[in-house]
Amino acid sequence: MHGPTRRNFLRGASATAFAATVGGRLRSSGLTPISHHLATFPYGHVELLAGPLKRQFDENHTFFLNLSEDRLLKIYRQRVGLPAPGEDMGGWYDDFCPGAHFGQYVSALARFASATGHGATRAKVLRLVKGYAETVEANGPGAGGKFFAGLRYPGYTYDKLVCGLLDAHTWAGDASAVPVLYSTTRAATPHMPDHALTAEEQQQRPHADETFTWDETYTMAENLFLAYDRTGDRMFFDMGKRYLLDRTFFDPLAEGRNVLPGLHAYSHVNALSSGMQGYLKLNDPKYLRAVTNAVGMLWKDQSFATGGWGPNEGFVEPGKGELGASLSNTSRSFETPCGAYAHFKVMRYLLALTRDARYGDSLERVLYNTVLGAWPVREDGSSFYYSDYHHGAAKTYRRDIAGAKYRWDHDGRWPCCSGTLPQVVADYTISAYFRSPDGIYVNLYVPSRLDWTSGPVRCSLLQQTTYPTGSLVSMKLDLSAPLDFTLHLRVPAWAGNQTSVSVNGKRLTAAAAPGTFYAVRRSWKTGDVLEFDIHQQVRTEAVDAENPDQVAILRGPQVLFGISSQQPELTPEELNRLQLTKAANDDWTLEAGSSSLLLRPFADIREETYQTYFRVGKAMGV
């Protein structure tokens, strides 16, 4: 079978569906998108070109395209009494949370189909939806409720199915997906609470064991509001309102009260996107305040230098040095594909609404230092789950976790991160560029091609770069006619004072202020070339204020990890005059005293032992 190829079969349909969705969302919120909001481009408008992001994109697309449909559908067929051919999936998919990630796999494949125009991928989405629909309606209307009966996570599973069905309809053009969404809703709702529950509220209800109190109904509102966009049915709107976690989450966050410590990290960052949809649908500024406050708390007190957060999947108590302590007491530092997927979503929402470059910076940091380095899912379902920032860390698949309490930790195949990994990788295309009324916002500096139209003018922007290894980004325009518009370039907050912008070889005089978007407005024509040279300074960041002697080394957006079995030590003098030398590929060497240490970005680390944080020792002569 030939690999995925770029086609245009869905481009027009996808653009129309996207415009209808965005327009409906913003109209229902009472906002006016034409005046100041940004919009993402549909998946089919951005093509990744040769480079690390495209390799990971193609790797995930091919893997899930070739994954057996009978295996994916087997647990659904078994639970409703239908013939179930094929091998078991195994792991979490059959036991811990049966079929919970099916919707994520369908969602990812629909996004890949739209991004690539690959007919076989679209056809697979349609077959999966058809096969799943047969299980929902097995033995008569409503019998699909058999699947949800006794599920550990009915809300979580329903949420992922809603996402998959909406994406199948929007991005794979599957007209049957909306009727299946209604059937799924009828089947699932008798087995779920009628509103969002906190963990404490779930514990007060009868449950078989502790794990049955871990359902994540407080994340569901986002996809329910998007179902309202797609269908116009007030039922989904009303459900979305009920599943917003107001009293214990959004209300105190909106008042500036930090309720994050102790909460499950990934699912509550995911819930922030429900807050964004709550803001858009209900036109209530409380939700925007809550989300922006929460993100500020995330940056200030919860984030490692990599941008990752949530050691042992929980938010820490600020001011107690718990991030620093985690470097010695856990290897479960960041729930990587899931956390990155949630992080990307909320940063896109906030960037689109505020045009604040900090949100693009944050997305970029998580991209290069976490999920781009995630290993691919294996045929048996073994998945990369945690980024490890422990002293003497190593990349691993989630299997045989030391001290595991439950049996499924010893059989960690097909976990939740096996579903969010292809979703977030497919989302690389919609995270790179945004459209504004006056032009284009460039958020990610990656080899890619953006195609769009402005009135009768067909436009294409070709971006070529080796960033972040190199510093130069080149953008070449191809237009069917000259066109006035603005290119807005994200200038990272860390960018040095040698950062520059040139057009057709002539350097522009306006300074590129760090932490802003640099606007270049002109009448563009075919062959125009913009060059953006981003000065990448070397700097350090302490893990938290209470552990200033634990520092990570960064160059531009990337943390550079020390390849060493022992935690390196730097004196304050060495820290103040860090000397990095370019080595082979993307590697660097750090010169410290009479010795040198190999440094490597996360995406290039394989099985070697590495160090995220360096210890700062005493000054020389002390």
Side-chain angles (χ1 to χ4, degrees):
M1 183 183 65
H2 296 291
T5 57
R6 184 171 177 82
R7 295 290 184 269
N8 294 321
F9 81 100
L10 272 177
R11 180 163 295 177
S14 294
T16 301
F18 175 83
T21 300
V22 172
R25 177 170 73 240
L26 295 171
R27 281 196 302 274
S28 68
S29 71
L31 301 173
T32 308
I34 295 174
S35 61
H36 59 281
H37 293 126
L38 307 182
T40 57
F41 284 91
Y43 290 93
H45 284 235
V46 178
E47 178 184 11
L48 297 175
L49 303 177
L53 276 70
K54 179 172 172 56
R55 284 196 297 272
Q56 194 180 40
F57 180 98
D58 289 346
E59 177 181 76
N60 278 271
H61 183 189
T62 300
F63 178 85
F64 286 95
L65 175 61
N66 292 323
L67 195 57
S68 166
E69 293 162 31
D70 281 336
R71 290 183 70 194
L72 288 167
L73 291 165
K74 186 169 185 176
I75 190 65
Y76 282 90
R77 290 166 171 164
Q78 285 177 328
R79 288 179 67 90
V80 300
L82 289 176
E87 298 180 6
D88 291 341
M89 287 281 281
W92 289 22
Y93 196 83
D94 290 344
D95 183 13
F96 184 35
C97 38
H101 313 126
F102 177 82
Q104 293 173 313
Y105 304 145
V106 172
S107 165
L109 284 166
R111 297 175 191 194
F112 285 130
S114 185
T116 64
H118 192 233
T121 307
R122 177 178 182 269
K124 186 182 185 78
V125 172
L126 270 60
R127 290 194 302 271
L128 287 172
V129 171
K130 182 176 184 295
Y132 164 71
E134 292 167 354
T135 71
V136 180
E137 297 295 345
N139 304 317
K146 293 178 182 177
F147 177 82
F148 289 93
L151 272 190
R152 186 175 274 104
Y153 302 137
Y156 178 99
T157 304
Y158 171 71
D159 185 35
K160 310 314 172 194
L161 287 167
V162 173
C163 180
L165 292 168
L166 291 174
D167 284 353
H169 183 269
T170 302
W171 305 119
D174 187 350
S176 74
V178 167
V180 179
L181 170 63
Y182 279 95
S183 299
T184 299
T185 302
R186 289 192 296 270
T189 48
H191 304 280
M192 303 188 304
D194 65 355
H195 65 283
L197 298 179
T198 65
E200 292 76 12
E201 289 170 333
Q202 292 182 92
Q203 289 164 5
Q204 293 168 7
R205 295 187 169 206
H207 52 272
D209 61 51
E210 176 191 1
T211 64
F212 283 78
T213 70
W214 297 347
D215 205 2
E216 298 171 2
T217 52
Y218 45 81
T219 71
M220 290 168 49
E222 180 189 23
N223 284 319
L224 290 167
F225 282 132
L226 292 175
Y228 169 67
D229 280 335
R230 178 55 41 210
T231 65
D233 192 329
R234 190 79 183 185
M235 174 188 72
F236 291 113
F237 180 91
D238 292 340
M239 288 178 70
K241 287 176 62 177
R242 294 201 307 272
Y243 286 103
L244 285 167
L245 191 61
D246 284 333
R247 181 179 58 83
T248 61
F249 191 61
F250 291 119
D251 288 348
L253 285 172
E255 296 168 0
R257 288 188 281 138
N258 189 351
V259 294
L260 298 182
L263 296 180
H264 183 251
Y266 153 61
S267 61
H268 285 85
V269 172
N270 201 21
L272 295 180
S273 288
S274 287
M276 293 306 302
Q277 278 293 323
Y279 169 63
L280 293 170
K281 292 300 181 299
L282 306 177
N283 200 23
D284 187 343
K286 171 185 78 174
Y287 293 104
L288 183 58
R289 286 199 309 272
V291 175
T292 53
N293 286 343
V295 168
M297 295 166 188
L298 190 74
W299 289 342
K300 179 177 181 292
D301 297 315
Q302 304 293 340
S303 296
F304 295 99
T306 62
W309 31 260
N312 290 320
E313 301 189 25
F315 287 125
V316 302
E317 189 73 40
K320 295 185 177 180
E322 292 183 5
L323 281 183
S326 75
L327 304 180
S328 300
N329 63 31
T330 186
S331 293
R332 306 180 187 189
S333 304
F334 177 51
E335 194 179 0
T336 301
C338 284
Y341 178 62
H343 197 96
F344 273 40
K345 283 198 301 174
V346 72
M347 295 306 158
R348 281 197 304 269
Y349 274 121
L350 289 169
L351 178 57
L353 282 170
T354 68
R355 304 193 189 201
D356 189 331
R358 293 179 302 164
Y359 300 116
D361 286 0
S362 186
L363 188 154
E364 178 184 63
R365 185 179 290 216
V366 167
L367 165 63
Y368 286 114
N369 297 310
T370 73
V371 70
L372 189 60
W375 284 349
V377 180
R378 287 176 169 167
E379 196 67 33
D380 69 350
S382 296
S383 302
F384 185 90
Y385 202 95
Y386 297 110
S387 291
D388 181 2
Y389 308 141
H390 188 274
H391 300 316
K395 287 185 175 181
T396 62
Y397 284 98
R398 183 182 176 131
R399 298 293 297 273
D400 299 318
I401 295 176
K405 183 177 180 181
Y406 299 104
R407 67 183 183 278
W408 39 82
D409 278 332
H410 292 292
D411 187 5
R413 295 175 296 156
W414 305 113
C416 48
C417 283
S418 71
T420 47
L421 178 60
Q423 285 183 300
V424 70
V425 168
D427 283 356
Y428 290 165
T429 59
I430 65 165
S431 301
Y433 302 92
F434 291 76
R435 188 162 190 176
S436 68
D438 71 336
I440 304 297
Y441 277 67
V442 184
N443 183 47
L444 294 180
Y445 301 110
V446 296
S448 56
R449 178 182 288 106
L450 168 67
D451 294 325
W452 78 102
T453 59
S454 181
V457 181
R458 297 184 305 277
C459 311
S460 180
L461 184 154
L462 174 66
Q463 184 179 169
Q464 296 176 307
T465 184
T466 60
Y467 176 92
T469 301
S471 296
L472 183 64
V473 180
S474 174
M475 303 178 196
K476 185 174 183 179
L477 278 299
D478 186 359
L479 309 169
S480 63
L483 184 67
D484 289 344
F485 66 94
T486 304
L487 273 178
H488 300 266
L489 311 174
R490 180 177 55 83
V491 185
W494 46 257
N497 57 15
Q498 297 177 38
T499 298
S500 65
V501 180
S502 302
V503 176
N504 296 332
K506 183 178 180 180
R507 182 166 174 168
L508 304 185
T509 56
T516 67
F517 279 93
Y518 186 95
V520 184
R521 182 164 188 87
R522 59 181 277 122
S523 178
W524 299 94
K525 63 184 184 303
T526 290
D528 282 346
V529 175
L530 180 147
E531 291 183 319
F532 186 30
D533 197 347
I534 311 173
H535 181 201
Q536 300 191 59
Q537 295 178 305
V538 177
R539 63 199 188 281
T540 61
E541 287 186 12
V543 64
D544 54 31
E546 295 72 33
N547 292 277
D549 62 337
Q550 302 289 330
V551 301
I553 297 175
L554 297 94
R555 177 183 177 272
Q558 289 186 315
V559 173
L560 295 177
F561 297 78
I563 306 303
S564 173
S565 59
Q566 301 293 324
Q567 187 184 23
E569 183 170 319
L570 298 172
T571 66
E573 292 85 358
E574 291 168 334
L575 195 67
N576 289 332
R577 48 179 176 80
L578 286 173
Q579 297 183 15
L580 299 188
T581 303
K582 188 72 181 70
N585 301 318
D586 295 335
D587 292 348
W588 298 79
T589 56
L590 170 66
E591 305 299 332
S594 60
S595 62
S596 63
L597 177 69
L598 183 65
L599 303 181
R600 181 167 290 164
F602 193 65
D604 292 337
I605 294 174
R606 300 309 300 170
E607 298 179 355
E608 55 269 46
T609 303
Y610 63 89
Q611 305 284 338
T612 311
Y613 285 88
F614 294 65
R615 184 176 182 275
V616 181
K618 294 181 179 180
M620 290 184 290
V622 176

